């Protein structure tokens, strides 16, 4: 079986993101970049499927400029068998990314695609769903548990009402939620081994996908500054204030 | 006369270059406060990956528990399996289940671990540089097979016994002796201030013989070998420190390191460990600066945040300057090491400079935190106390200054 995993480079989760003064985007100068945390969870799940004894090839895929190669190398060091970089300088939007994955799924004859439920930069939460639609295959989004039985998957999903378990047939698309697993640390010897694993570079055009962005971002703005809380004298004052604000 | 046009031409082209450089796009970037010169940008992809992986481990597994460990004087031995599985033990060794990383990567491992705590970095320094290194470099094939893979897995812990109770700075006055008796050696004497001593499965012990200093692999449980722990420490509290006592301990010939004789054996190990320390303490200093940058930004006194005062900024800027210098020093040293060019005196300079830099920063950061700086909630006091050990062990500051003095004057003033 072949599993494709999406690896998107984003501003590292530990960095406090700052919007550029002119509102044209987010400052990435000198800012630490890393793998989207949900994508690490996706890769970890693919590796676990393989380690539980399923014959599987795990392919890490990233779309972006040549500079995302370190993130793919990290994926290889974590345990992916090989990596594909679809090189483009274009802005990544969910439909374009879904199209790229659809092309790769056809080329690679993939049985399973595991993606993050969203990337922590644009928080779109659309790519997995769009890919499933393009591919016309089942989707299991927000997965918090995945069990593979032959050609079917039992996936527990985190939904508003609680947990929902669904059974879907392969080939399929899974998107990961935070509680699915805890990704492993990269081990020193595996960093050395990752060097010799294949990393294939394809141009976006080679896949016959055009960027053609459908969405236009007009401006970026930081969320409003939080104003400090107010201390009230006693319970009576508290209740009165809550009433006044229409909370009670 | 012929030179004139040429000169003016040169000046013109210099001027052009200058204009070009000025005119070229050189947008102002915000810098990383903990790495102002982007030293990370000088690292290879692999080295960056090493740093990121260890950093993650430290953030996720060390920082949440280390304050409490220090307070309770508890060595977090539950971290050993994970440290081992990450490949941090003996990471520079080729083969024997080790990662075979370069010297810079080893430095980065030390830096990230010591950002957590000097005690944890000490564990890795001792295991890697002071025990696995001499076994790998001076040991028999049988000794290597027996110890290195087990030590890389964390199944066996090692310690290094050089310092004696009567004076560590003068190892040539070694009183621990080994005498040949039949096919065995018999050890008598004492070692003091030995990291990991009480938890070690094997001790690399340096002892005097009729034929000069030799290294012995003394195993836990050997008759007459005792390893009581040192208590009441105010420093390196999350690390085990012990005395080693030898009362007619019989050590078989197979446990003698065959390939080295004389003090150059232990000193070569110290060079490796000191190299790692020069990197490690950068992490401690960065952790202190990070804490104090955050604190002085939010703490308001006299109706303004603390960091709006020039007097405070001068101190923060000084910390950033010192860290930057130390980073560049260690990276250069690491590149020399990886080219096989590193000299012990260069290591002495880096150990001296960087530990002094870190302890000054930790103390000043502690001060800037005011009363909040005296609990383990903020890291500077823990680092400041730890660094009292770090500035003493592996050669005191004075010893390293005397090494440099000897190097530049040719006079041995010890
Ligand atoms: C926490 C901890 C862990 C340690 N771990 C280990 C270990 O694992 N293995 C090991 O072998 N050792 C270890 N040590 C020992 C350490 O290396 C020694 O403490 C150190 O070398 C200093 O020796 P000393 O304590 O005997 O001090 P001394 O050598 O007695 O020095 C006392 C003072 O005299 C100064 N001094 C010495 N000579 C001169 C001189 N010629 N001129 C001017 N001043 C001088 C020193 O700089 C120092 O300030 C550890 C120490 C500590 C604190």
């Amino acid at each position: 079986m072949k599993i494709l995993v999406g690896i998107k480079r984003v501003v590292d989760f530990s960095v406090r993101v700052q919007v550029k003064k002119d509102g044209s985007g987010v400052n990435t100068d000198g800012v630490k970049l890393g793998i989207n945390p949900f994508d690490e969870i996706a890769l970890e799940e693919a590796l676990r499927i393989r380690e539980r004894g399923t014959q599987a090839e795990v392919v890490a895929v990233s779309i972006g400029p040549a500079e995302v190669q370190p993130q793919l190398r990290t994926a290889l060091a974590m345990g992916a068998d090989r990596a594909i970089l679809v090189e483009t300088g274009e802005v990544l939007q969910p439909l374009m990314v879904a199209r790229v994955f659809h092309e790769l799924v056809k080329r690679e004859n993939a049985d399973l695609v595991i993606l993050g439920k969203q990337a922590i930069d644009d928080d779109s939460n659309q790519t997995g769903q769009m890919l499933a639609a393009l591919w016309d295959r089942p989707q299991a989004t927000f997965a918090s548990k995945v069990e593979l039985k032959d050609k079917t998957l039992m996936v527990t999903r985190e939904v508003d009402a609680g947990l929902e378990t669904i059974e879907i047939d392969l080939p399929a698309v899974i998107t990961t939620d935070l509680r699915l697993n805890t990704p492993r640390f990269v081990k020193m010897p595996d960093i050395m081994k990752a060097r010799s694993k294949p990393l294939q570079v394809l141009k976006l055009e080679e896949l016959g996908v055009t960027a053609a962005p459908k969405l236009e971002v007009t401006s970026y703005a930081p969320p409003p500054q939080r104003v400090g809380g107010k201390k009230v004298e006693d319970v009576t004052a508290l209740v009165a204030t809550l009433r006044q604000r229409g909370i009670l | 006369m012929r030179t004139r046009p040429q000169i003016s031409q040169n000046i013109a082209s210099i001027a052009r270059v200058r204009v070009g450089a000025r005119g070229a796009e050189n947008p102002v970037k915000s810098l990383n406060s903990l790495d102002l010169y982007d030293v990370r940008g000088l690292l290879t992809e692999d080295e960056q990956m090493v740093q990121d992986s260890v950093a993650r481990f430290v953030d996720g597994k060390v920082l949440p528990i280390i304050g409490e460990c220090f307070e309770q004087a508890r060595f977090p031995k539950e971290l050993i399996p994970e440290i081992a599985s990450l490949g941090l033990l003996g990471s520079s060794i080729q083969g024997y289940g080790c990662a075979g990383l370069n010297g810079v990567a080893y430095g980065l491992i030390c830096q990230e671990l010591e950002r957590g705590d000097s005690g944890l970095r000490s564990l890795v320094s001792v295991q890697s540089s002071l025990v696995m290194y001499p076994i790998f470099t001076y040991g028999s094939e049988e000794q290597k097979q027996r110890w290195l893979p087990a030590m890389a897995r964390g199944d066996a812990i090692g310690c290094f016994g050089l310092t004696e109770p009567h004076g560590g700075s003068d190892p040539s006055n070694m009183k621990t002796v080994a005498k040949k008796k039949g096919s065995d050696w018999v050890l008598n004497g004492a070692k003091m201030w030995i990291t990991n001593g009480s938890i070690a499965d094997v001790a690399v012990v340096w002892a005097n013989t009729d034929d000069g200093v030799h290294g012995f692999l003394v195993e836990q449980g050997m008759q007459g070998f005792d390893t009581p722990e040192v208590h009441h420490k105010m420093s390196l509290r999350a690390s085990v420190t012990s005395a080693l006592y030898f009362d007619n301990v019989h050590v078989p010939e197979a446990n003698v390191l065959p390939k080295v004789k004389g003090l150059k054996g232990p000193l070569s190990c110290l060079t490796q460990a000191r190299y790692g320390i020069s990197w490690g303490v950068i992490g401690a200093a960065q952790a202190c600066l990070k804490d104090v940058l955050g604190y002085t930004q939010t703490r308001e006194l006299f109706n303004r945040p603390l960091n709006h005062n020039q007097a405070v900024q001068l101190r923060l800027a000084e910390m950033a300057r010192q860290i930057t210098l130390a980073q560049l020093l260690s990276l250069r040293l690491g590149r020399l090491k990886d080219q096989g060019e590193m000299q012990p005196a260069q290591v002495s300079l880096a150990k001296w400079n960087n530990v002094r830099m870190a302890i000054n920063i930790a103390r000043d950061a502690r001060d800037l935190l005011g009363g909040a700086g005296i609990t383990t909630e903020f890291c500077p006091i823990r680092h400041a106390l730890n660094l009292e050990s770090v500035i003493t062990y592996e050669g005191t500051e004075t010893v390293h200054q005397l090494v440099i003095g000897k190097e530049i004057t040719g006079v041995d003033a010890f």
Side-chain angles (χ1 to χ4, degrees):
Chain A
M1 123 176 229
K2 193 180 285 185
I3 309 175
L4 299 191
V5 175
I7 299 290
K8 185 180 186 185
R9 184 182 70 157
V10 296
V11 171
D12 192 79
F13 71 94
S14 63
V15 173
R16 187 133 47 94
V17 169
Q18 281 173 330
V19 175
K20 286 184 188 162
K21 286 216 172 65
D22 63 1
S24 65
V26 161
N27 197 357
T28 52
D29 282 346
V31 166
K32 192 166 174 223
L33 301 166
I35 300 177
N36 176 36
F38 292 106
D39 296 350
E40 283 191 349
I41 294 171
L43 174 56
E44 177 67 33
E45 198 58 27
L47 299 175
R48 289 187 189 187
I49 289 172
R50 192 182 65 191
E51 282 161 9
R52 282 195 289 261
T54 306
Q55 271 282 345
E57 187 188 27
V58 178
V59 185
V61 178
S62 193
I63 306 164
E67 288 76 41
V68 307
Q69 290 204 19
Q71 278 66 42
L72 283 175
R73 282 276 167 228
T74 304
L76 292 170
M78 275 177 75
D81 296 295
R82 60 190 173 89
I84 300 174
L85 166 62
V86 178
E87 205 179 309
T88 174
E90 296 289 342
V91 180
L92 306 180
Q93 293 192 349
L95 186 57
M96 181 262 250
V97 174
R99 289 206 167 112
V100 169
F101 270 94
H102 188 212
E103 283 309 313
L104 289 175
V105 156
K106 287 189 276 182
R107 284 187 174 211
E108 294 279 341
N109 241 325
D111 303 279
L112 178 61
V113 179
I114 313 182
L115 303 173
K117 71 169 180 181
Q118 65 199 66
I120 60 166
D121 49 4
D122 57 18
D123 281 339
S124 293
N125 188 353
Q126 296 173 4
T127 307
Q129 295 88 328
M130 287 176 169
L131 171 61
L134 290 172
W135 192 10
D136 201 16
R137 293 301 311 168
Q139 57 180 295
T141 51
F142 317 135
S144 67
K145 190 172 175 206
V146 174
E147 272 175 291
L148 176 68
K149 286 185 191 136
D150 293 329
K151 286 277 163 194
T152 61
L153 285 165
M154 297 288 285
V155 180
T156 306
R157 309 177 57 226
E158 300 204 354
V159 292
D160 288 344
L163 297 178
E164 175 187 82
T165 304
I166 60 171
E167 190 184 299
I168 58 174
D169 293 330
L170 289 176
V173 180
I174 293 176
T175 75
T176 61
D177 217 322
L178 210 57
R179 279 159 289 269
L180 178 57
N181 60 48
T182 308
R184 66 198 61 193
F185 297 115
V186 173
K187 299 184 166 128
M188 301 303 122
D190 296 337
I191 293 176
M192 307 300 276
K193 281 181 212 147
R195 259 195 224 157
S196 52
K197 289 183 178 176
L199 193 164
Q200 182 190 3
V201 182
L202 299 170
K203 295 269 182 244
L204 182 64
E205 303 78 61
E206 282 177 56
L207 291 176
V209 178
T210 44
K214 294 268 192 260
L215 306 169
E216 190 196 335
V217 178
T218 51
S219 75
Y220 289 78
Q225 279 266 334
R226 274 218 224 170
V227 279
K230 187 178 133 195
K231 261 193 188 158
V232 290
E233 280 299 308
D234 50 24
V235 177
T236 326
L238 174 67
V239 173
T241 314
L242 292 177
R243 282 238 163 83
Q244 194 193 333
R245 306 232 172 139
I247 297 165
L248 268 184
Chain B
M1 283 305 281
R2 284 188 59 217
T3 54
R4 218 171 235 172
Q6 229 174 344
I7 287 172
S8 60
Q9 211 177 2
N10 281 346
I11 290 172
S13 66
I14 289 167
R16 239 195 334 272
V17 169
R18 273 220 178 135
V19 169
R22 261 199 219 130
E25 213 179 327
N26 184 15
V28 178
K29 289 188 178 185
S30 55
L31 304 173
N32 176 349
S33 320
L34 303 182
D35 182 12
L36 286 181
Y37 265 44
D38 189 21
V39 173
R40 185 177 157 91
L42 296 171
L43 304 175
T44 66
E45 219 175 82
D46 288 357
E47 289 160 356
Q48 293 186 356
M49 228 192 283
V50 167
Q51 181 173 27
D52 289 347
S53 179
V54 185
R56 257 190 171 201
F57 166 73
V58 169
D59 288 337
K61 299 288 170 95
V62 178
L63 294 181
I65 63 163
I66 199 65
E68 197 177 304
C69 291
F70 183 91
E71 193 183 340
Q72 297 171 352
R74 183 177 80 79
F75 169 63
K77 63 169 174 295
E78 68 272 20
L79 295 177
I80 292 179
E82 197 135 33
I83 288 175
S85 99
L86 274 170
L88 305 186
L89 303 176
S91 61
S92 308
I93 290 173
Q94 296 279 354
Y96 303 95
C98 300
L101 301 179
N102 69 6
V104 169
Y106 173 55
L108 291 163
I109 290 171
C110 291
Q111 182 176 315
E112 290 306 321
L113 287 174
E114 197 148 358
R115 189 167 59 76
D117 192 84
S118 303
L120 217 52
R121 199 269 306 134
S122 299
L123 165 86
V124 172
S125 288
V126 169
Q127 182 92 342
S128 302
S129 290
L130 298 181
V131 184
M132 295 174 79
Y133 172 82
I135 292 175
F136 178 73
T137 313
Y138 307 123
S140 65
E141 190 52 40
E142 192 194 345
Q143 289 166 348
K144 293 189 218 186
Q145 294 290 353
R146 171 153 178 224
W147 291 110
L148 295 179
M151 295 192 77
R153 287 194 307 270
D155 292 342
I157 296 296
C159 71
F160 175 87
L162 175 66
T163 305
E164 301 192 343
H166 56 87
S169 301
D170 181 15
S172 58
N173 182 23
M174 189 179 290
K175 295 192 161 62
T176 299
V177 290
K179 289 224 152 33
K180 191 96 201 205
K181 190 170 175 192
S183 64
D184 283 356
W185 289 85
V186 180
L187 261 67
N188 277 292
K191 298 287 177 181
M192 191 59 196
W193 310 115
I194 305 306
T195 303
N196 297 349
S198 316
I199 57 165
D201 302 279
V202 61
V204 173
V205 175
W206 302 94
N208 244 325
T209 71
D210 294 339
D211 177 36
V213 170
H214 280 274
F216 297 83
L217 301 179
V218 181
E219 296 171 38
Q220 192 64 263
M222 282 182 166
Q223 194 81 37
F225 179 40
D226 198 15
T227 60
E229 194 172 340
V230 176
H231 293 292
H232 313 297
K233 287 184 302 176
M234 303 303 283
S235 173
L236 277 199
R237 287 170 62 81
S239 163
V240 175
T241 312
S242 317
L244 309 182
Y245 295 126
F246 311 93
D247 179 10
N248 286 315
V249 181
H250 283 248
V251 179
E253 178 69 39
N255 283 26
V256 182
L257 293 176
K259 292 191 214 148
V260 72
K261 192 181 93 174
L263 271 181
K264 71 170 188 290
L267 293 182
S268 70
C269 302
L270 293 176
T271 300
Q272 305 302 315
R274 290 163 176 173
Y275 161 77
I277 291 171
S278 91
W279 281 89
V281 293
I282 296 169
Q286 286 173 320
C288 293
L289 177 55
K290 183 167 181 232
D291 262 14
V292 87
L293 279 175
Y295 190 80
T296 55
Q297 187 178 16
T298 51
R299 180 92 176 156
E300 295 209 7
L301 293 159
F302 303 99
N303 294 319
R304 58 185 187 274
L306 213 43
N307 70 4
H308 286 218
N309 296 290
Q310 287 192 347
V312 172
Q313 286 205 4
L314 292 182
R315 290 159 77 178
L316 299 174
E318 173 67 10
M319 292 181 195
R321 176 172 79 96
Q322 293 294 346
I323 288 173
T324 304
L325 300 179
Q327 285 178 301
L328 291 168
L329 201 63
S330 280
L331 183 63
R332 169 67 179 150
L333 189 63
R335 296 287 178 232
L336 286 171
K337 184 177 200 299
D338 288 331
Q339 291 159 18
E341 301 284 341
M342 181 176 86
Q343 297 302 311
Q346 294 170 323
V347 179
S348 281
L349 185 83
K351 200 264 180 185
W352 161 25
N353 181 77
N354 292 11
V355 181
R356 174 52 68 184
M357 158 308 280
I359 199 169
N360 285 350
I361 287 176
R363 287 169 176 170
D364 201 35
R366 207 301 305 150
D367 183 77
L368 276 168
L369 293 168
I374 72 156
T375 74
T376 56
E377 186 191 346
F378 292 97
C379 72
I381 194 159
R382 179 167 52 80
H383 284 300
L385 290 170
N386 281 338
L387 290 162
E388 294 289 350
S389 287
V390 181
I391 204 166
T392 293
Y393 70 24
E394 300 275 346
T396 65
E397 183 173 68
T398 309
V399 163
H400 291 297
Q401 290 166 327
L402 294 177
V403 170
I404 302 300
K406 181 178 165 194
E407 182 68 30
I408 63 178
T409 64
V411 180
D412 182 342
F414 280 96

